Amino acid sequence: MKQNHPKKVRDLVDGVLLLDKPVGFSSNDALIKAKRVLNAKKAGHTGTLDPFATGLLPLCFGEATKFSQDLLEADKTYDTTVHLGQTTDTGDTEGEVIDTRDVNVTLEQIHAVLAQFRGPIKQVPPMYSALKRDGKPLYEYAREGITLEREARDVTIHKLELIAYEAPFLKLSVTCSKGTYIRVLGQDIGEALGCGAHLNALRRTQVGALTTEHMITLEELVAHAAPLTLLSPVDALLSSFPAVQLNAELAKRFLNGQRLALGKEPSVSVPAGQGRVRVYLDAKLLGTANLGEYSILQPERLIAFVAE
């Protein structure tokens, strides 16, 4: 007779974990592992890192998942090693070598080529990517030997610096807009140098305002006696937005979704300018809002609790 085991009860966990994703883990694998360790009910990550890549993978739990979209839209910074002279079908070390060429490039040529890729550029997404066509990821087509036409997309390379060149390895630091494929950037740099290339290593070091400063490994998370203490607060995702402090009465109205005319509230200090802000009652985050003309505060995403 089949026994029905009671379903494990998950905890309501709120916060952000700055994970140092290891090589060989997909972003989803890393999320599932961390979610299990923290026994969290709700979790999500903020932008995929390829399995061969390492580095900063912010994981959002509970109420923090409401703000994860902000990191998906954020600029990101990477350290990468480009292997010149070898092209692979995936653009990284996980693929098969499909072309080998001699590497005869000078530092002057490298600097000249890198300059071509700074600023707004167009990129053709790789076939080995999670982008979907007719509901099916491109990488599934690629594994079947099918290559589809892909439209070039506009991305921006804010920073592209040469860290070191020890032939055939080119070490770079890149800060880029959302939607940028560093694998494609490496390949395109290799083609511009006339020798082809693929990524040998990739490490993400910054997502928006989040850095590696408080990053931890999965091993450290698993071994920690009190892993919940490793979480950063929800508003770690919102540090780039100005803060607005409300009193108890205004906070209650805000959490009920009401627009607030802050210009008429002498007790509230209103930030200069317009745009997104984070809203507090004392040290308690209430959510985010848009501060508009005439200091009108429009609630946007609210934390799920009732102000005391």
Side-chain angles (χ1 to χ4, degrees), residues 135-239:
K136 184 176 174 179
L138 290 182
Y139 64 77
E140 290 189 11
Y141 291 103
R143 288 169 182 167
E144 295 167 6
I146 300 171
T147 300
L148 301 176
E149 288 291 321
R150 285 99 63 209
E151 190 174 333
R153 305 196 303 184
D154 294 315
V155 298
T156 302
I157 308 300
H158 301 292
K159 184 188 78 171
L160 179 57
E161 294 181 357
L162 176 65
I163 304 302
Y165 176 52
E166 298 174 8
F169 297 109
L170 196 61
K171 293 186 178 181
L172 305 172
S173 176
V174 185
T175 299
C176 55
S177 66
K178 69 166 185 173
T180 304
Y181 286 92
I182 306 299
R183 281 180 291 144
V184 174
L185 180 64
Q187 287 177 309
D188 290 347
I189 288 170
E191 289 305 317
L193 288 168
C195 57
H198 71 274
L199 288 199
N200 179 265
L202 180 63
R203 183 167 180 78
R204 190 157 66 190
T205 59
Q206 189 163 347
V207 178
L210 300 177
T211 67
T212 59
E213 184 181 357
H214 300 294
M215 195 167 62
I216 65 162
T217 65
L218 277 176
E219 289 80 4
E220 289 169 333
L221 178 68
V222 170
H224 203 280
L228 289 175
T229 63
L230 298 173
L231 291 175
S232 298
V234 173
D235 59 359
L237 300 175
L238 308 171
S239 62

